[in-house]
Amino acid sequence: MGNDELILLNYWPSMFGARVRIALEEKGLDYEYREEDLLNKSPLLLQMNPVHKKIPVLIHNGKPVCESNIIVQYIDEVWYDKAPLLPSDPYQKAQARFWADYIDKKLYDSGRKITFHKNKEEAEEGKKEVLEIFKVLEGALEEKPYFGGENFGYVDISLIGFYMWFHAYETCANFSIEAECPKLMAWVKRCLERKTVSKSLGDPKTVYEIVLKFRKKLGLD
């Protein structure tokens, strides 16, 4: 695949866009990064993802692939000869997809209850839910360095982008993830030692500042 043109349409605080960036970095692929303004979406984004009109979108030789976990799987299948992200064993692959799906169905909505809470009760509810999810994920991690075992892979990629939002969760709901979920935070630190991860994630403090701006705009503060 020598002459591939890859363009990523993204918004840097997105935990979903981070998945695609990390997958591209893990595979050592060159791509053009284009930052989107979500309040003023580009004609290209609307053309390439007319159904959801959301980032991230990976454009591969003019053809769009949408939805972050689907994009990661696509990247893994096309560039299968470099740094495999999903296990080859069908059962292990199904397990990895299960946990990525669990993260998608649960974490974003519970996190939003914290960052965009309308009252203290909602923030508390979000905090409770997020910690429950993290405890379940710690159970899946067991004593392994990564979710798939010895190697960084698909489930790690699905979850680590949320780290950008941890500071916002902690500050908005007044708790410490490290104190509650030490095993998860040890996993986070392990992931951040990978250059492919650290260079793909934005600054958590800046994410929190964006949350505060949005809360003002939405009249929540």
Side-chain angles (χ1 to χ4, degrees):
M1 313 287 298
N3 303 320
D4 288 298
E5 185 195 39
L6 289 165
I7 300 168
L8 175 60
L9 307 182
N10 190 35
Y11 171 59
W12 73 263
S14 166
M15 55 285 272
F16 305 113
R19 293 170 174 174
V20 181
R21 294 180 77 168
I22 294 165
L24 290 165
E25 293 292 344
E26 283 286 325
K27 297 283 185 180
L29 299 168
D30 287 326
Y31 65 97
E32 182 188 332
Y33 181 91
R34 292 196 196 168
E35 184 74 6
E36 284 285 334
D37 173 358
L38 298 190
L39 300 174
N40 184 20
K41 296 172 182 175
S42 73
L44 183 63
L45 175 59
L46 301 177
Q47 179 199 339
M48 290 292 168
N49 190 359
V51 176
H52 294 305
K53 304 177 176 61
K54 287 179 177 169
I55 57 94
V57 179
L58 183 69
I59 307 167
H60 181 202
N61 296 333
K63 293 190 295 198
V65 188
C66 305
E67 295 292 294
S68 60
N69 279 337
I70 294 171
I71 300 171
V72 172
Q73 292 180 38
Y74 176 82
I75 290 168
D76 203 36
E77 285 169 13
V78 176
W79 292 276
Y80 59 87
D81 53 336
K82 305 177 178 176
L85 305 175
L86 274 148
S88 53
D89 175 75
Y91 181 74
Q92 297 297 332
K93 193 177 283 181
Q95 292 303 304
R97 286 183 171 140
F98 172 86
W99 286 113
D101 184 60
Y102 174 81
I103 292 160
D104 269 3
K105 286 197 171 99
K106 298 275 194 179
L107 193 49
Y108 179 73
D109 290 334
S110 296
R112 271 188 79 83
K113 282 184 188 172
I114 298 177
T115 46
F116 297 108
H117 62 270
K118 292 175 189 69
N119 51 48
K120 282 277 174 281
E121 291 74 35
E122 194 182 11
E124 270 304 304
E125 187 189 334
K127 173 174 106 174
K128 205 170 132 252
E129 287 175 15
V130 162
L131 286 172
E132 271 170 23
I133 294 161
F134 285 166
K135 293 272 191 326
V136 170
L137 289 167
E138 282 193 324
L141 186 60
E142 298 170 328
E143 301 307 319
K144 306 185 297 273
Y146 299 109
F147 280 92
E150 291 304 311
N151 297 318
F152 178 81
Y154 183 63
V155 182
D156 307 294
I157 289 172
S158 283
L159 182 57
I160 193 61
F162 282 88
Y163 169 69
M164 289 189 281
W165 289 75
F166 281 15
H167 177 67
Y169 295 164
E170 291 177 319
T171 313
C172 291
N174 193 20
F175 70 113
S176 158
I177 295 170
E178 178 116 50
E180 303 274 354
C181 305
K183 194 189 284 185
L184 185 77
M185 284 311 293
W187 166 84
V188 165
K189 287 170 187 155
R190 210 170 295 127
C191 290
L192 290 173
E193 284 167 11
R194 299 178 78 82
K195 204 163 178 205
T196 54
V197 174
S198 59
K199 73 186 287 192
S200 301
L201 299 184
D203 173 43
K205 292 213 164 49
T206 314
V207 170
Y208 175 60
E209 284 160 20
I210 290 169
V211 167
L212 291 182
K213 271 193 202 120
F214 263 102
R215 286 187 62 81
K216 275 209 175 70
K217 198 171 259 179
L218 295 166
L220 293 170
D221 283 333

